[in-house]
């Protein structure tokens, strides 16, 4: 294994510390310590240490992607069953599929494939919903650790008999909280675990009793771990909390003690200005899932408004509400959806009233959110090349014949937007997490032609 722990790597690095731009570190050397953390970044002209991994010219190193919202058990129905609204889709397709993960052999085969595929796609950190099953959730965490993926894994809580089927539900609120606690303890005690964290995961308000929500809020305060849930995703889901509590999802979650610095709210399409102020005050964040929202969201998340109000935002694929597990696709969909929001969609409406002005974001902002934004939202040092950050990266080969990038001789570092729009999986040559090579292979370079 061509690991980078305790070594340096020389090449051209491109990351996005701020919105709307990338920073290109041409012919630089990044030094990585024995724990896989970046210790220094310097021009190669300042010296190249003995044993440095030298990348061939033309290759680019990008930060690995942070998938801020993904349902691991839904991978088998990726690209299927997208015909029904959320509340129908859950009962008709999704709960029956997730229920099968009670069978650990069924779970193992699917989770192994998913984690390998995500690493090959450059997803170095993933915030996962698993299923209600304690054992299969622990299995997912173990598989992530064994394959070297940085992951946050949550046992899904859904205990309300009024909304969850008998065959797929926590037996009681007390048991749901107790099993969540067991999973947290199990993940934290995994041997040599330097990268997998537990997450408190109430599925969403409609599937949980108040007892479960308040029990999980108390557990979050006690354990200090991450929290994830779905928030104001669709008209129906948004309306549920309003009808049940006379307040929004955000306000209700806050009341249950579920909003904090390590909380990630998936979707959040229908956040009001007050909700945004609440999320911001809690320093919680949003996982924006543009592809999924096109099927289930009923509207476009006001991304630019959220950013301008100072919210932490990252991107999620939302497998399988989203039809792709690729974070490159998530970036593209984010930019495209924002354009539709700005222009509007009904051609019979007048140009003046058709859209929401000042809503567009560009692809480089989407890339920033898919990397650095995810790191900030999770409060983890990932998504940037900076001392103190984990060396989580993907090696991009713009010249791979089987890949979709065609540069016709242009300098790759000058074409990052084109590369992000056109790259396909064969362009991702290798993936590193914490300095470990976790997918692909590193090309050997005899040349010194940066
Ligand atoms: N809301 C509750 N559960 C789900 C889910 O599995 N996917 C999506 N997109 N929304 C949800
Ligand atoms: Fe989801």
């Amino acid at each position: 294994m061509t690991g980078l722990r305790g070594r340096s790597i020389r090449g051209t690095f491109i990351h996005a510390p701020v919105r709307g731009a990338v920073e290109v570190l041409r012919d630089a050397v990044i030094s990585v310590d024995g724990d896989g953390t970046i210790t220094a970044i310097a021009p190669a002209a300042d010296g190249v240490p003995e044993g440095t991994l030298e990348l061939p010219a033309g290759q680019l190193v990008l930060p690995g992607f942070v998938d801020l919202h993904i349902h691991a058990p839904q991978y088998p129905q990726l690209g299927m069953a997208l015909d029904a609204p959320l509340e129908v889709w859950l009962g008709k397709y999704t709960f029956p599929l997730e229920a099968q993960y009670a069978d650990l052999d069924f779970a193992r085969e699917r989770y192994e494939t998913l984690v390998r595929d995500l690493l090959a796609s450059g997803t170095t950190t993933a915030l996962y919903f698993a299923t209600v099953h304690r054992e299969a959730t622990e299995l997912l965490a173990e598989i992530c650790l064994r394959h070297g993926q940085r992951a946050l894994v949550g046992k899904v809580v859904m205990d309300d008999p009024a909304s969850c089927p008998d065959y797929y539900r926590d037996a009681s609120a007390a048991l749901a909280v107790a099993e969540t606690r067991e999973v947290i303890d199990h993940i934290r005690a995994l041997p040599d675990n330097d990268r997998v964290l537990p997450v408190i995961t109430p599925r969403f308000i409609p599937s949980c009793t108040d007892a479960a929500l308040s029990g999980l809020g108390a557990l979050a305060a006690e354990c200090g771990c991450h929290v994830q849930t779905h928030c104001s995703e669709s008209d129906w889901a948004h309306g549920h909390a309003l009808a049940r509590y006379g307040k929004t999802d955000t306000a209700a979650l806050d009341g249950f003690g579920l909003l904090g610095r390590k909380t990630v709210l998936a979707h959040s399409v229908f956040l009001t200005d007050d909700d945004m102020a609440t999320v911001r005050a809690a320093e919680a964040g949003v996982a924006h899932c543009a592809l999924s929202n096109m099927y289930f969201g009923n509207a476009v998340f006001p991304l630019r408004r959220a950013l301008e109000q100072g919210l932490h935002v990252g991107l999620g694929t939302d497998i399988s509400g989203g039809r792709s597990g690729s974070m490159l696709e998530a970036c593209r969909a984010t930019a495209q959806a924002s354009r539709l929001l700005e222009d509007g969609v009904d051609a019979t409406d007048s140009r003046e009233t058709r859209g929401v002005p000042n809503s567009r974001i560009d692809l480089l902002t989407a890339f920033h959110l898919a990397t650095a934004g995810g790191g900030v939202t999770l409060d983890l040092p990932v998504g940037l090349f900076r001392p103190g950050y984990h060396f989580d990266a993907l090696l991009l080969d713009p010249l791979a014949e089987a890949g979709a990038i065609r540069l016709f001789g242009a300098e790759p570092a000058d074409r990052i937007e084109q590369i992000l729009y056109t790259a396909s999986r064969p362009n991702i040559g290798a993936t590193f997490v914490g300095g470990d090579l976790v997918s692909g292979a590193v090309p050997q370079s005899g040349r010194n032609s940066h």
Side-chain angles (χ1 to χ4, degrees):
M1 192 144 122
T2 322
L4 283 172
R5 291 182 188 238
R7 284 178 79 193
S8 301
I9 175 171
R10 176 184 185 182
T12 293
F13 302 85
I14 299 185
H15 64 165
V18 299
R19 303 203 292 264
V22 290
E23 181 181 37
V24 181
L25 307 166
R26 280 176 210 271
D27 196 12
V29 174
I30 292 186
S31 303
V32 180
D33 71 12
D35 294 328
T37 302
I38 297 170
T39 55
I41 305 173
D46 290 358
V48 179
E50 189 83 15
T52 294
L53 174 66
E54 304 215 17
L55 297 176
Q59 302 261 323
L60 303 175
V61 189
L62 308 183
F65 292 114
V66 179
D67 188 340
L68 216 49
H69 183 62
I70 171 167
H71 297 265
Q74 296 174 17
Y75 196 36
Q77 67 176 12
L78 186 72
M80 290 171 63
L82 293 163
D83 57 306
L86 177 63
E87 62 278 21
V88 176
W89 175 81
L90 287 170
K92 187 173 169 189
Y93 305 109
T94 303
F95 294 162
L97 171 59
E98 292 192 11
Q100 295 183 71
Y101 286 72
D103 175 346
L104 290 181
D105 290 329
F106 181 95
R108 185 176 295 105
E109 182 186 345
R110 284 153 187 80
Y111 284 162
E112 292 267 0
T113 301
L114 172 67
V115 172
R116 274 201 305 268
D117 287 352
L118 291 176
L119 288 172
S121 306
T123 298
T124 49
T125 299
L127 175 56
Y128 287 113
F129 276 60
T131 59
V132 294
H133 314 103
R134 179 182 60 76
E135 283 182 304
T137 302
E138 293 172 357
L139 177 66
L140 174 61
E142 288 158 16
I143 288 170
C144 292
L145 186 56
R146 182 150 38 80
H147 288 279
Q149 188 178 42
R150 197 174 304 288
L152 302 95
V153 178
K155 178 207 120 57
V156 171
V157 169
M158 39 192 288
D159 71 313
D160 191 346
S163 56
C164 307
D166 290 344
Y167 67 84
Y168 188 56
R169 180 176 80 223
D170 290 293
S172 70
L175 206 61
V177 175
E179 291 205 321
T180 298
R181 184 193 294 275
E182 281 181 57
V183 173
I184 292 168
D185 292 343
H186 179 90
I187 292 175
R188 286 182 168 170
L190 285 174
D192 299 320
N193 181 7
D194 62 349
R195 61 189 64 181
V196 179
L197 296 168
V199 191
I200 290 172
T201 308
R203 183 168 205 124
F204 64 160
I205 283 179
S207 70
C208 295
T209 62
D210 290 3
L213 293 165
S214 57
L216 293 177
L219 187 62
E222 180 191 327
C223 296
C225 54
H226 287 78
V227 175
Q228 62 179 344
T229 191
H230 296 86
C231 177
S232 295
E233 175 179 1
S234 68
D235 282 313
W236 168 79
H238 183 57
H240 175 100
L242 291 173
R244 179 161 149 190
Y245 301 115
K247 48 185 169 177
T248 61
D249 269 5
T250 305
L253 292 167
D254 197 26
F256 287 116
L258 288 163
L259 278 197
R261 175 65 186 93
K262 293 185 184 176
T263 298
V264 180
L265 303 172
H267 308 297
S268 306
V269 172
F270 292 91
L271 290 192
T272 64
D273 282 340
D274 280 352
D275 288 339
M276 288 200 184
T278 302
V279 172
R280 191 201 151 132
E283 298 183 90
V286 173
H288 171 40
C289 308
L291 271 178
S292 172
N293 292 163
M294 291 180 205
Y295 295 100
F296 297 113
N298 306 127
V300 176
F301 171 64
L303 170 60
R304 184 142 147 207
R305 178 157 65 90
L307 292 172
E308 285 170 359
Q309 298 209 16
L311 271 63
H312 299 157
V313 182
L315 305 186
T317 60
D318 193 27
I319 285 176
S320 65
R323 53 152 184 82
S324 168
S326 160
M327 286 297 289
L328 285 164
E329 289 267 11
C331 290
R332 296 163 191 162
T334 298
Q336 290 165 339
S338 78
R339 295 287 286 269
L340 294 180
L341 181 59
E342 179 163 309
D343 284 344
V345 293
D346 183 355
T348 66
D349 199 351
S350 84
R351 178 160 174 70
E352 286 66 41
T353 57
R354 206 184 292 144
V356 181
N358 302 318
S359 292
R360 66 166 67 187
I361 59 102
D362 59 19
L363 187 69
L364 298 185
T365 295
F367 176 64
H368 161 80
L369 297 175
T371 52
V376 168
T377 305
L378 290 171
D379 200 20
L380 293 177
V382 298
L384 288 174
F385 298 120
R386 192 174 270 176
Y389 278 58
H390 299 298
F391 188 83
D392 292 4
L394 61 94
L395 215 66
L396 201 132
D397 180 4
L399 303 178
E401 188 57 34
I405 301 169
R406 295 290 179 254
L407 295 180
F408 298 101
E411 168 65 28
D414 297 337
R415 293 290 184 94
I416 187 64
E417 188 166 1
Q418 182 180 29
I419 286 171
L420 292 173
Y421 264 129
T422 59
S424 56
R425 200 193 285 184
N427 294 114
I428 298 176
T431 306
F432 291 92
V433 178
D436 298 329
L437 179 68
V438 293
S439 182
V442 178
Q444 295 304 311
S445 165
R447 291 170 287 163
N448 190 2
S449 47
H450 291 281

